[in-house]
């Protein structure tokens, strides 16, 4: 586990479904009906309540699906977190502006977190799995965005980035070039 910026950002290897932060972010797809990777793991471990709430959101707010870069919030069912914030990352090869879309995911997820008074949030590495976003490029973009974010906002107090593998975590550490703190 690595800490940065006076503990405001934590980077760790792990399974996001085990996170105890108040909110976890789901790398969802626009259907909000579940899928593979992070999405599948969250719905499987969180149970049917999350899907029920996603169905309602689709029916009442997003009949055509949640657009790329947007985010919505549900409860977290049986998970340790209290909320799941679902965001739709860009499909790297199909999105005309994948960099902007990826940052929109982080921006909108954090905005919903603030609106709900959420104090801690965990992100997976959005779009870098099935959606094919290059990991080094995502690392550079996300690091720059988050560094700027914490200068401008005091909440959520804690932002965790959860990497599924040590290799992915190392890519982020290298590309962010942030100064590590003792923990
Ligand atoms: P996307 O479709 O947005 O690319 P994926 O779920 O396929 O989303 O992958 C996003 C990233 O999350 C990948 O780097 C993948 O290795 C990682 N990942 C997969 N399962 C988990 C998990 N349970 N916890 C944390 N990260 C995960």
């Amino acid at each position: 586990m690595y800490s940065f910026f006076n503990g405001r950002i934590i980077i760790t290897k792990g399974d996001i479904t085990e996170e105890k932060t108040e909110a976890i972010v789901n790398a969802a797809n626009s259907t909000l009906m579940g899928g593979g990777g992070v999405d599948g793991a969250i719905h499987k471990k969180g149970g049917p309540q999350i899907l029920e709430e996603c169905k309602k959101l689709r029916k009442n707010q997003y009949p055509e699906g949640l657009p790329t870069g947007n985010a919505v919030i549900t409860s977290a069912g049986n998970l340790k977190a209290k909320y799941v914030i679902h965001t739709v990352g860009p499909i790297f090869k199909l999105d005309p502006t994948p960099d902007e879309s990826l940052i929109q995911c982080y921006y909108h997820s954090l905005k919903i977190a603030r609106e709900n008074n959420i104090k801690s949030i965990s992100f997976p590495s959005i779009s870098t799995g099935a959606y094919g976003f290059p990991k080094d490029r995502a690392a550079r973009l996300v690091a720059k965005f988050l560094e700027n974010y914490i200068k401008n906002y005091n909440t959520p107090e804690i932002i965790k980035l959860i990497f599924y593998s040590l290799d992915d975590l190392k890519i982020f550490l290298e590309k962010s070039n942030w100064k590590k703190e003792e923990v």
Side-chain angles (χ1 to χ4, degrees):
M1 183 163 110
Y2 299 92
S3 169
F4 305 88
F5 308 107
N6 291 319
R8 290 250 1 239
I9 299 183
I10 304 282
I11 293 180
T12 188
K13 170 177 138 49
D15 177 347
I16 198 155
T17 63
E18 293 296 322
E19 277 302 318
K20 297 186 185 84
T21 47
E22 207 174 338
I24 62 171
V25 175
N26 181 16
N29 59 59
S30 69
T31 70
L32 296 178
M33 293 297 110
V38 176
D39 200 8
I42 285 175
H43 281 287
K44 192 172 171 208
K45 211 177 273 183
Q49 194 189 331
I50 303 173
L51 189 61
E52 280 312 309
E53 289 179 46
C54 284
K55 282 182 182 163
K56 284 200 187 111
L57 284 164
R58 275 295 305 275
K59 189 159 174 272
N60 300 328
Q61 280 179 264
Y62 295 101
E64 325 254 274
L66 184 65
T68 301
N70 283 35
V72 291
I73 190 166
T74 66
S75 64
N78 305 326
L79 297 172
K80 291 165 187 163
K82 193 167 167 203
Y83 301 103
V84 177
I85 295 172
H86 308 259
T87 188
V88 182
I91 300 174
F92 186 70
K93 282 197 177 146
L94 299 182
D95 195 309
T97 55
D99 294 354
E100 288 78 1
S101 298
L102 185 67
I103 292 313
Q104 287 292 306
C105 289
Y106 287 83
Y107 173 80
H108 283 124
S109 297
L110 288 163
K111 185 164 184 270
I112 288 195
R114 285 199 306 281
E115 287 163 358
N116 287 274
N117 223 348
I118 287 167
K119 294 183 176 52
S120 57
I121 184 168
S122 295
F123 283 92
S125 183
I126 296 165
S127 278
T128 64
Y131 279 5
F133 204 110
K135 289 170 181 178
D136 51 352
R137 182 161 163 173
R140 269 191 293 265
L141 284 166
V142 171
K144 206 166 136 208
F145 171 76
L146 289 179
E147 188 170 348
N148 198 44
Y149 180 86
I150 57 165
K151 283 184 196 149
N152 290 306
Y153 296 97
N154 293 322
T155 57
E157 287 160 31
I158 298 185
I159 299 170
K160 286 181 86 172
L161 304 180
I162 313 297
F163 292 95
Y164 210 35
S165 79
L166 202 54
D167 283 348
D168 293 355
L169 184 149
K170 282 180 183 159
I171 292 171
F172 192 92
L173 286 180
E174 189 195 321
K175 299 301 170 194
S176 67
N177 211 15
W178 289 342
K179 192 172 172 292
K180 286 180 204 149
E181 299 160 346
E182 296 295 326
V183 273

